[in-house]
Amino acid sequence: PEGQKFEIVLSVDKDYMITAEQRFTNGSAAEVEVAPFGLLSRNGQSPDPDSWNIHVGPMGVFDGTLTNVNYDEVIEAPKSELDYQTTGGWLGETEKYWLAALIPDQKVKINASFKTKDGFYWSQMVNANQTKVAPGATFSQKSRLFAGAKEVETLDMYANEQGIPLLDYSIDWGWFWFLAIPFFWILHWLFGVFGNFGVAIIGLTIIVRLFMFPVAQKQFASMAQMRAVQPKMKALQERWKDDKPRLQQEMMKLYKDEKVNPLAGCLPILLQIPIFFALYKILMLSIEMRHQPFALWLKDLSAPDPLTPVNLFGLLPFDPPTFLAIGVLPILLGITMWLMQKLNPQPMDEVQKQVFAIMPWFLMFIMAPFAAGLQLYWVMSNLISIAQQKWLYSRHPILKEQMAKEAEAKAREKAKAST
């Protein structure tokens, strides 16, 4: 009746980015103030679990800062509303594999908010300042809505080519993002070459082990030094077995005199930790890896190994609880870790020996619920390490002879104990 006309023109591209042009034509005789807005609503919380390492729920970029918000924070906020003001950026809801994001005009200051009421959750944006539209004039403003899968290449394109800040970081790569992102692209390339994600993981394992070969050589040199001084260490233990402080002093002196660093062998393990977590993030978060098969019974490498001897590999009609559902890959992981320990010098401390003895079987249970792709990586890494150590031993026959002598000594001690 006032002669005012509201229009919205929607267009969508092939990657599920919707552009909304809101137009207002003032056909009245008086000046009118207007402010474009956008509203994203969901019924209930996401079915994906929100955890310390995978964020699910409201999130946004406000003045260049990525902000993750938990559902409980919205519920417990005054009036169940969290308010922000920003120029540019975006806000919306993220799930494990999906994202819905409201993206305003990047040059316009907006008031943004997350709200909840009666089980519904809203992400809302509105221009911070109203625009005065003279009689007979038209005002228009564009905003966007992304509603789709969190595909890395797509989000990178929108962030880098279309200027949507940090949209690619809606994938929570975690602390070791500097490894996770390059690893993803290597896996993506290998997958394109081989057409099998399991083979791509094996290829990545080989690349990582080649990259770490110099470190592995240093570890082997340290291990060789430790083996060389073990007879002297045993002599010290026998001599100072009743004086622990003196034993520690003598052992430190022996390490210094022989130029042995007992901690040098830990470096490859420490380097493996960020690699492990980076690969974990890739398998858990990248939709490109979702439901990717390998071979035989492994139909989804982003899920745990489903084949377990607990129910006789599926012959018995029941599903064991998660903590007992130890698949074939976790069992291989435990066995390969045990074999690796057999090639390493045994610690002199009895407590350390016991801890090292149970560690492979403990990790077998711990790793059972993890993604099969992660288990495959670890098993392959262990196998390559075993082959590498065997090869290095073949190049150092003195060490091989020393290992044989140690084995003979253990056999004699065992025989003596049994008699």
Side-chain angles (χ1 to χ4, degrees):
E2 291 81 13
Q4 298 168 356
K5 184 178 180 182
F6 296 85
E7 296 174 285
I8 185 166
V9 180
L10 301 174
S11 56
V12 59
D13 68 12
K14 64 182 180 64
D15 295 311
Y16 307 102
M17 179 69 78
I18 299 168
T19 300
E21 182 183 358
Q22 298 181 68
R23 298 175 186 165
F24 172 74
T25 302
N26 185 7
S28 67
E31 186 179 71
V32 177
E33 292 184 346
V34 295
F37 75 96
L39 179 69
L40 177 68
S41 174
R42 78 167 298 142
N43 185 0
Q45 297 183 9
S46 168
D48 293 338
D50 183 29
S51 61
W52 66 272
N53 60 344
I54 299 177
H55 174 67
V56 170
M59 74 182 307
V61 172
F62 307 116
D63 288 330
T65 301
L66 184 68
T67 303
N68 292 331
V69 178
N70 297 323
Y71 288 113
D72 289 343
E73 292 181 69
V74 183
I75 295 169
E76 294 167 6
K79 299 182 181 179
S80 298
E81 180 176 342
L82 291 173
D83 297 316
Y84 305 86
Q85 194 170 78
T86 180
T87 299
W90 53 271
L91 73 158
E93 285 257 352
T94 184
E95 293 185 344
K96 189 174 180 180
Y97 295 118
W98 320 102
L99 174 69
L102 292 167
I103 305 156
D105 186 313
Q106 296 298 291
K107 296 179 181 178
V108 175
K109 180 180 284 188
I110 63 163
N111 294 323
S113 59
F114 298 117
K115 304 179 182 181
T116 182
K117 186 178 180 182
D118 299 328
F120 284 85
Y121 292 85
W122 294 283
S123 303
Q124 182 175 308
M125 64 180 188
V126 61
N127 281 23
N129 302 308
Q130 292 188 332
T131 299
K132 295 179 180 180
V133 183
T138 297
F139 166 74
S140 70
Q141 184 174 301
K142 289 183 179 181
S143 57
R144 287 174 286 181
L145 166 68
F146 177 80
K150 295 197 290 187
E151 295 175 328
V152 177
E153 194 169 3
T154 300
L155 296 178
D156 278 355
M157 181 269 294
Y158 285 130
N160 299 320
E161 296 180 18
Q162 298 195 20
I164 304 173
L166 301 180
L167 190 69
D168 47 339
Y169 281 85
S170 60
I171 301 174
D172 185 7
W173 294 113
W175 298 334
F176 301 111
W177 58 268
F178 53 88
L179 287 176
I181 295 174
F183 279 3
F184 168 82
W185 288 114
I186 293 171
L187 273 175
H188 194 61
W189 176 76
L190 290 171
F191 177 66
V193 172
F194 297 110
N196 185 292
F197 185 48
V199 178
I201 290 177
I202 294 171
L204 176 66
T205 310
I206 294 170
I207 291 171
V208 170
R209 296 304 303 183
L210 286 173
F211 179 75
M212 292 182 64
F213 185 74
V215 179
Q217 281 186 308
K218 287 185 179 180
Q219 181 195 23
F220 184 82
S222 172
M223 187 172 65
Q225 289 175 313
M226 287 295 292
R227 279 197 180 276
V229 301
Q230 273 197 339
K232 295 181 181 180
M233 290 175 67
K234 284 184 178 179
L236 289 175
Q237 281 187 320
E238 288 295 324
R239 183 176 180 183
W240 304 106
K241 60 183 177 181
D242 297 323
D243 189 348
K244 296 293 182 183
R246 182 63 184 273
L247 175 61
Q248 290 296 324
Q249 290 176 7
E250 293 295 329
M251 286 178 65
M252 293 304 294
K253 184 176 183 300
L254 177 64
Y255 289 148
K256 186 177 180 181
D257 293 342
E258 299 289 338
K259 296 182 173 56
V260 175
N261 183 1
L263 298 178
C266 299
L267 182 58
I269 298 172
L270 293 174
L271 288 176
Q272 284 282 10
I273 292 172
I275 293 171
F276 176 85
F277 276 104
L279 190 60
Y280 167 77
K281 280 287 191 176
I282 294 170
L283 288 164
M284 291 300 293
L285 292 177
S286 60
I287 195 169
E288 292 87 347
M289 312 306 177
R290 185 175 178 237
H291 300 327
Q292 289 290 347
F294 176 37
L296 301 175
W297 71 94
L298 294 170
K299 306 300 182 185
D300 184 0
L301 286 169
S302 65
D305 186 342
L307 201 62
T308 173
V310 177
N311 60 6
L312 296 182
F313 305 106
L315 293 176
L316 298 179
F318 78 95
D319 292 324
T322 304
F323 69 94
L324 282 179
I326 305 170
V328 175
L329 283 175
I331 292 171
L332 290 174
L333 191 152
I335 293 170
T336 53
M337 282 199 70
W338 176 78
L339 289 172
M340 280 178 62
Q341 286 189 5
K342 288 295 180 183
L343 292 173
N344 292 334
Q346 297 300 307
M348 302 299 293
D349 185 73
E350 287 299 322
V351 176
Q352 286 185 7
K353 278 185 183 179
Q354 293 175 6
V355 170
F356 277 35
I358 64 170
M359 187 61 70
W361 318 117
F362 176 73
L363 281 173
M364 184 175 71
F365 281 91
I366 293 294
M367 287 299 299
F370 281 73
L374 203 60
Q375 299 163 1
L376 176 64
Y377 168 81
W378 204 336
V379 170
M380 285 302 305
S381 182
N382 288 348
L383 288 172
I384 294 171
S385 294
I386 291 168
Q388 193 176 55
Q389 286 189 12
K390 287 283 189 183
W391 179 74
L392 288 169
Y393 272 120
S394 69
R395 293 172 60 88
H396 295 78
I398 296 174
L399 274 176
K400 199 171 182 180
E401 291 172 12
Q402 190 173 348
M403 284 182 69
K405 289 178 182 178
E406 290 173 7
E408 288 175 10
K410 285 181 183 178
R412 284 196 300 269
E413 289 176 6
K414 192 173 180 181
K416 187 177 178 182
S418 64
T419 55

mmCIF file of all heavy atoms in Angstrom, residues 337-366:
data_model
loop_
_atom_site.group_PDB
_atom_site.id
_atom_site.type_symbol
_atom_site.label_atom_id
_atom_site.label_comp_id
_atom_site.label_asym_id
_atom_site.label_seq_id
_atom_site.Cartn_x
_atom_site.Cartn_y
_atom_site.Cartn_z
ATOM 1 N N MET A 337 54.942 -53.839 16.264
ATOM 2 C CA MET A 337 55.627 -53.069 17.306
ATOM 3 C C MET A 337 56.486 -53.989 18.172
ATOM 4 O O MET A 337 57.604 -53.640 18.573
ATOM 5 C CB MET A 337 54.612 -52.330 18.180
ATOM 6 C CG MET A 337 54.044 -51.066 17.561
ATOM 7 S SD MET A 337 53.326 -49.981 18.794
ATOM 8 C CE MET A 337 54.764 -49.401 19.649
ATOM 9 N N TRP A 338 55.968 -55.174 18.478
ATOM 10 C CA TRP A 338 56.719 -56.156 19.266
ATOM 11 C C TRP A 338 57.995 -56.580 18.528
ATOM 12 O O TRP A 338 59.066 -56.676 19.126
ATOM 13 C CB TRP A 338 55.820 -57.348 19.559
ATOM 14 C CG TRP A 338 56.501 -58.463 20.281
ATOM 15 C CD1 TRP A 338 56.802 -58.522 21.614
ATOM 16 C CD2 TRP A 338 56.968 -59.696 19.703
ATOM 17 N NE1 TRP A 338 57.436 -59.708 21.910
ATOM 18 C CE2 TRP A 338 57.550 -60.456 20.758
ATOM 19 C CE3 TRP A 338 56.952 -60.234 18.419
ATOM 20 C CZ2 TRP A 338 58.103 -61.703 20.546
ATOM 21 C CZ3 TRP A 338 57.500 -61.483 18.212
ATOM 22 C CH2 TRP A 338 58.070 -62.209 19.258
ATOM 23 N N LEU A 339 57.874 -56.805 17.208
ATOM 24 C CA LEU A 339 59.046 -57.176 16.414
ATOM 25 C C LEU A 339 60.074 -56.054 16.386
ATOM 26 O O LEU A 339 61.288 -56.306 16.444
ATOM 27 C CB LEU A 339 58.616 -57.527 14.990
ATOM 28 C CG LEU A 339 57.849 -58.841 14.813
ATOM 29 C CD1 LEU A 339 57.312 -58.958 13.401
ATOM 30 C CD2 LEU A 339 58.742 -60.034 15.154
ATOM 31 N N MET A 340 59.603 -54.817 16.300
ATOM 32 C CA MET A 340 60.521 -53.675 16.314
ATOM 33 C C MET A 340 61.295 -53.611 17.625
ATOM 34 O O MET A 340 62.498 -53.336 17.640
ATOM 35 C CB MET A 340 59.747 -52.369 16.116
ATOM 36 C CG MET A 340 59.373 -52.062 14.677
ATOM 37 S SD MET A 340 58.428 -50.542 14.552
ATOM 38 C CE MET A 340 59.602 -49.356 15.184
ATOM 39 N N GLN A 341 60.599 -53.870 18.735
ATOM 40 C CA GLN A 341 61.268 -53.830 20.032
ATOM 41 C C GLN A 341 62.336 -54.908 20.149
ATOM 42 O O GLN A 341 63.342 -54.713 20.818
ATOM 43 C CB GLN A 341 60.233 -53.976 21.155
ATOM 44 C CG GLN A 341 59.397 -52.739 21.382
ATOM 45 C CD GLN A 341 58.554 -52.836 22.632
ATOM 46 O OE1 GLN A 341 58.658 -53.792 23.387
ATOM 47 N NE2 GLN A 341 57.717 -51.847 22.860
ATOM 48 N N LYS A 342 62.099 -56.059 19.509
ATOM 49 C CA LYS A 342 63.082 -57.138 19.556
ATOM 50 C C LYS A 342 64.396 -56.735 18.881
ATOM 51 O O LYS A 342 65.459 -57.254 19.218
ATOM 52 C CB LYS A 342 62.523 -58.397 18.870
ATOM 53 C CG LYS A 342 61.423 -59.090 19.663
ATOM 54 C CD LYS A 342 61.956 -59.633 20.982
ATOM 55 C CE LYS A 342 60.894 -60.327 21.791
ATOM 56 N NZ LYS A 342 61.402 -60.793 23.097
ATOM 57 N N LEU A 343 64.303 -55.813 17.913
ATOM 58 C CA LEU A 343 65.510 -55.362 17.212
ATOM 59 C C LEU A 343 66.244 -54.259 17.958
ATOM 60 O O LEU A 343 67.391 -53.953 17.642
ATOM 61 C CB LEU A 343 65.142 -54.872 15.806
ATOM 62 C CG LEU A 343 64.654 -55.940 14.824
ATOM 63 C CD1 LEU A 343 64.161 -55.292 13.537
ATOM 64 C CD2 LEU A 343 65.764 -56.943 14.528
ATOM 65 N N ASN A 344 65.555 -53.635 18.927
ATOM 66 C CA ASN A 344 66.167 -52.540 19.671
ATOM 67 C C ASN A 344 66.863 -53.068 20.921
ATOM 68 O O ASN A 344 66.480 -54.113 21.457
ATOM 69 C CB ASN A 344 65.097 -51.521 20.085
ATOM 70 C CG ASN A 344 64.519 -50.797 18.890
ATOM 71 O OD1 ASN A 344 65.163 -50.668 17.866
ATOM 72 N ND2 ASN A 344 63.293 -50.327 19.031
ATOM 73 N N PRO A 345 67.876 -52.351 21.422
ATOM 74 C CA PRO A 345 68.513 -52.762 22.686
ATOM 75 C C PRO A 345 67.522 -52.681 23.835
ATOM 76 O O PRO A 345 66.750 -51.730 23.931
ATOM 77 C CB PRO A 345 69.650 -51.756 22.846
ATOM 78 C CG PRO A 345 69.277 -50.594 22.018
ATOM 79 C CD PRO A 345 68.479 -51.126 20.874
ATOM 80 N N GLN A 346 67.536 -53.668 24.697
ATOM 81 C CA GLN A 346 66.616 -53.704 25.821
ATOM 82 C C GLN A 346 67.078 -52.742 26.911
ATOM 83 O O GLN A 346 68.268 -52.633 27.192
ATOM 84 C CB GLN A 346 66.534 -55.122 26.389
ATOM 85 C CG GLN A 346 65.980 -56.141 25.415
ATOM 86 C CD GLN A 346 64.571 -55.788 24.970
ATOM 87 O OE1 GLN A 346 63.684 -55.575 25.797
ATOM 88 N NE2 GLN A 346 64.364 -55.717 23.675
ATOM 89 N N PRO A 347 66.124 -52.012 27.534
ATOM 90 C CA PRO A 347 66.516 -51.115 28.628
ATOM 91 C C PRO A 347 67.065 -51.898 29.812
ATOM 92 O O PRO A 347 66.656 -53.032 30.054
ATOM 93 C CB PRO A 347 65.205 -50.396 28.983
ATOM 94 C CG PRO A 347 64.123 -51.275 28.472
ATOM 95 C CD PRO A 347 64.676 -51.985 27.281
ATOM 96 N N MET A 348 67.981 -51.277 30.545
ATOM 97 C CA MET A 348 68.598 -51.949 31.673
ATOM 98 C C MET A 348 67.665 -51.986 32.881
ATOM 99 O O MET A 348 67.693 -52.915 33.670
ATOM 100 C CB MET A 348 69.902 -51.230 32.057
ATOM 101 C CG MET A 348 70.915 -51.143 30.923
ATOM 102 S SD MET A 348 71.453 -52.763 30.342
ATOM 103 C CE MET A 348 72.342 -53.359 31.763
ATOM 104 N N ASP A 349 66.833 -50.955 33.016
ATOM 105 C CA ASP A 349 65.924 -50.884 34.152
ATOM 106 C C ASP A 349 64.795 -51.901 33.992
ATOM 107 O O ASP A 349 64.165 -51.982 32.929
ATOM 108 C CB ASP A 349 65.348 -49.465 34.260
ATOM 109 C CG ASP A 349 64.490 -49.297 35.489
ATOM 110 O OD1 ASP A 349 65.035 -49.231 36.593
ATOM 111 O OD2 ASP A 349 63.253 -49.251 35.323
ATOM 112 N N GLU A 350 64.515 -52.659 35.051
ATOM 113 C CA GLU A 350 63.510 -53.712 34.974
ATOM 114 C C GLU A 350 62.100 -53.150 34.778
ATOM 115 O O GLU A 350 61.281 -53.739 34.070
ATOM 116 C CB GLU A 350 63.551 -54.581 36.238
ATOM 117 C CG GLU A 350 64.752 -55.501 36.315
ATOM 118 C CD GLU A 350 64.787 -56.487 35.149
ATOM 119 O OE1 GLU A 350 63.715 -56.978 34.751
ATOM 120 O OE2 GLU A 350 65.893 -56.768 34.648
ATOM 121 N N VAL A 351 61.832 -52.018 35.421
ATOM 122 C CA VAL A 351 60.501 -51.396 35.267
ATOM 123 C C VAL A 351 60.292 -50.969 33.816
ATOM 124 O O VAL A 351 59.231 -51.188 33.227
ATOM 125 C CB VAL A 351 60.346 -50.190 36.223
ATOM 126 C CG1 VAL A 351 59.005 -49.486 35.983
ATOM 127 C CG2 VAL A 351 60.458 -50.643 37.670
ATOM 128 N N GLN A 352 61.314 -50.348 33.224
ATOM 129 C CA GLN A 352 61.232 -49.950 31.815
ATOM 130 C C GLN A 352 61.034 -51.167 30.918
ATOM 131 O O GLN A 352 60.264 -51.115 29.952
ATOM 132 C CB GLN A 352 62.492 -49.204 31.404
ATOM 133 C CG GLN A 352 62.589 -47.799 31.952
ATOM 134 C CD GLN A 352 63.797 -47.044 31.411
ATOM 135 O OE1 GLN A 352 64.502 -47.531 30.529
ATOM 136 N NE2 GLN A 352 64.031 -45.863 31.949
ATOM 137 N N LYS A 353 61.714 -52.262 31.247
ATOM 138 C CA LYS A 353 61.540 -53.488 30.459
ATOM 139 C C LYS A 353 60.095 -53.945 30.463
ATOM 140 O O LYS A 353 59.526 -54.323 29.428
ATOM 141 C CB LYS A 353 62.434 -54.600 31.022
ATOM 142 C CG LYS A 353 63.868 -54.564 30.560
ATOM 143 C CD LYS A 353 64.612 -55.783 31.085
ATOM 144 C CE LYS A 353 66.085 -55.732 30.680
ATOM 145 N NZ LYS A 353 66.822 -56.890 31.211
ATOM 146 N N GLN A 354 59.473 -53.916 31.648
ATOM 147 C CA GLN A 354 58.080 -54.354 31.760
ATOM 148 C C GLN A 354 57.140 -53.436 30.997
ATOM 149 O O GLN A 354 56.207 -53.889 30.330
ATOM 150 C CB GLN A 354 57.691 -54.433 33.241
ATOM 151 C CG GLN A 354 58.414 -55.521 34.015
ATOM 152 C CD GLN A 354 58.098 -55.492 35.492
ATOM 153 O OE1 GLN A 354 57.250 -54.733 35.934
ATOM 154 N NE2 GLN A 354 58.795 -56.337 36.256
ATOM 155 N N VAL A 355 57.403 -52.123 31.107
ATOM 156 C CA VAL A 355 56.557 -51.151 30.378
ATOM 157 C C VAL A 355 56.681 -51.370 28.876
ATOM 158 O O VAL A 355 55.681 -51.403 28.147
ATOM 159 C CB VAL A 355 56.958 -49.708 30.755
ATOM 160 C CG1 VAL A 355 56.259 -48.697 29.838
ATOM 161 C CG2 VAL A 355 56.628 -49.424 32.213
ATOM 162 N N PHE A 356 57.922 -51.532 28.392
ATOM 163 C CA PHE A 356 58.140 -51.753 26.961
ATOM 164 C C PHE A 356 57.522 -53.070 26.501
ATOM 165 O O PHE A 356 57.055 -53.171 25.362
ATOM 166 C CB PHE A 356 59.638 -51.749 26.649
ATOM 167 C CG PHE A 356 60.214 -50.372 26.479
ATOM 168 C CD1 PHE A 356 59.752 -49.309 27.239
ATOM 169 C CD2 PHE A 356 61.229 -50.125 25.577
ATOM 170 C CE1 PHE A 356 60.277 -48.038 27.101
ATOM 171 C CE2 PHE A 356 61.762 -48.851 25.421
ATOM 172 C CZ PHE A 356 61.284 -47.811 26.195
ATOM 173 N N ALA A 357 57.509 -54.064 27.392
ATOM 174 C CA ALA A 357 56.971 -55.370 27.017
ATOM 175 C C ALA A 357 55.463 -55.331 26.787
ATOM 176 O O ALA A 357 54.942 -56.005 25.888
ATOM 177 C CB ALA A 357 57.315 -56.404 28.094
ATOM 178 N N ILE A 358 54.753 -54.545 27.598
ATOM 179 C CA ILE A 358 53.281 -54.507 27.459
ATOM 180 C C ILE A 358 52.813 -53.417 26.493
ATOM 181 O O ILE A 358 51.661 -53.427 26.061
ATOM 182 C CB ILE A 358 52.594 -54.305 28.824
ATOM 183 C CG1 ILE A 358 52.963 -52.939 29.424
ATOM 184 C CG2 ILE A 358 52.941 -55.429 29.786
ATOM 185 C CD1 ILE A 358 52.141 -52.564 30.641
ATOM 186 N N MET A 359 53.711 -52.476 26.136
ATOM 187 C CA MET A 359 53.301 -51.347 25.306
ATOM 188 C C MET A 359 52.669 -51.759 23.972
ATOM 189 O O MET A 359 51.618 -51.219 23.590
ATOM 190 C CB MET A 359 54.495 -50.415 25.061
ATOM 191 C CG MET A 359 54.129 -49.121 24.337
ATOM 192 S SD MET A 359 52.938 -48.119 25.258
ATOM 193 C CE MET A 359 53.962 -47.582 26.625
ATOM 194 N N PRO A 360 53.237 -52.701 23.196
ATOM 195 C CA PRO A 360 52.610 -53.064 21.915
ATOM 196 C C PRO A 360 51.185 -53.579 22.079
ATOM 197 O O PRO A 360 50.298 -53.236 21.288
ATOM 198 C CB PRO A 360 53.536 -54.160 21.367
ATOM 199 C CG PRO A 360 54.842 -53.925 22.030
ATOM 200 C CD PRO A 360 54.512 -53.424 23.396
ATOM 201 N N TRP A 361 50.960 -54.372 23.113
ATOM 202 C CA TRP A 361 49.623 -54.968 23.292
ATOM 203 C C TRP A 361 48.651 -53.965 23.887
ATOM 204 O O TRP A 361 47.452 -54.011 23.595
ATOM 205 C CB TRP A 361 49.748 -56.211 24.175
ATOM 206 C CG TRP A 361 50.950 -57.019 23.809
ATOM 207 C CD1 TRP A 361 52.030 -57.295 24.586
ATOM 208 C CD2 TRP A 361 51.221 -57.616 22.521
ATOM 209 N NE1 TRP A 361 52.964 -58.027 23.892
ATOM 210 C CE2 TRP A 361 52.491 -58.241 22.614
ATOM 211 C CE3 TRP A 361 50.534 -57.686 21.314
ATOM 212 C CZ2 TRP A 361 53.076 -58.920 21.555
ATOM 213 C CZ3 TRP A 361 51.115 -58.357 20.249
ATOM 214 C CH2 TRP A 361 52.355 -58.961 20.372
ATOM 215 N N PHE A 362 49.179 -53.036 24.665
ATOM 216 C CA PHE A 362 48.344 -51.948 25.178
ATOM 217 C C PHE A 362 47.870 -51.049 24.036
ATOM 218 O O PHE A 362 46.687 -50.698 23.931
ATOM 219 C CB PHE A 362 49.144 -51.139 26.213
ATOM 220 C CG PHE A 362 48.425 -49.940 26.753
ATOM 221 C CD1 PHE A 362 47.367 -50.080 27.640
ATOM 222 C CD2 PHE A 362 48.811 -48.657 26.376
ATOM 223 C CE1 PHE A 362 46.705 -48.965 28.140
ATOM 224 C CE2 PHE A 362 48.159 -47.545 26.870
ATOM 225 C CZ PHE A 362 47.098 -47.703 27.758
ATOM 226 N N LEU A 363 48.805 -50.691 23.141
ATOM 227 C CA LEU A 363 48.445 -49.849 21.985
ATOM 228 C C LEU A 363 47.505 -50.573 21.034
ATOM 229 O O LEU A 363 46.713 -49.930 20.344
ATOM 230 C CB LEU A 363 49.710 -49.416 21.246
ATOM 231 C CG LEU A 363 50.491 -48.259 21.881
ATOM 232 C CD1 LEU A 363 51.796 -48.030 21.158
ATOM 233 C CD2 LEU A 363 49.659 -46.986 21.871
ATOM 234 N N MET A 364 47.590 -51.890 20.997
ATOM 235 C CA MET A 364 46.681 -52.663 20.155
ATOM 236 C C MET A 364 45.228 -52.394 20.555
ATOM 237 O O MET A 364 44.356 -52.205 19.704
ATOM 238 C CB MET A 364 47.009 -54.148 20.287
ATOM 239 C CG MET A 364 46.206 -55.068 19.392
ATOM 240 S SD MET A 364 46.791 -56.787 19.532
ATOM 241 C CE MET A 364 46.193 -57.186 21.179
ATOM 242 N N PHE A 365 44.971 -52.354 21.866
ATOM 243 C CA PHE A 365 43.621 -52.062 22.355
ATOM 244 C C PHE A 365 43.268 -50.595 22.150
ATOM 245 O O PHE A 365 42.139 -50.261 21.774
ATOM 246 C CB PHE A 365 43.509 -52.418 23.846
ATOM 247 C CG PHE A 365 43.330 -53.881 24.097
ATOM 248 C CD1 PHE A 365 44.420 -54.713 24.289
ATOM 249 C CD2 PHE A 365 42.064 -54.445 24.137
ATOM 250 C CE1 PHE A 365 44.265 -56.067 24.527
ATOM 251 C CE2 PHE A 365 41.886 -55.800 24.372
ATOM 252 C CZ PHE A 365 42.982 -56.616 24.566
ATOM 253 N N ILE A 366 44.248 -49.709 22.420
ATOM 254 C CA ILE A 366 43.994 -48.272 22.293
ATOM 255 C C ILE A 366 43.634 -47.895 20.856
ATOM 256 O O ILE A 366 42.744 -47.079 20.593
ATOM 257 C CB ILE A 366 45.227 -47.463 22.754
ATOM 258 C CG1 ILE A 366 45.449 -47.630 24.257
ATOM 259 C CG2 ILE A 366 45.082 -45.987 22.399
ATOM 260 C CD1 ILE A 366 44.366 -47.047 25.123
#
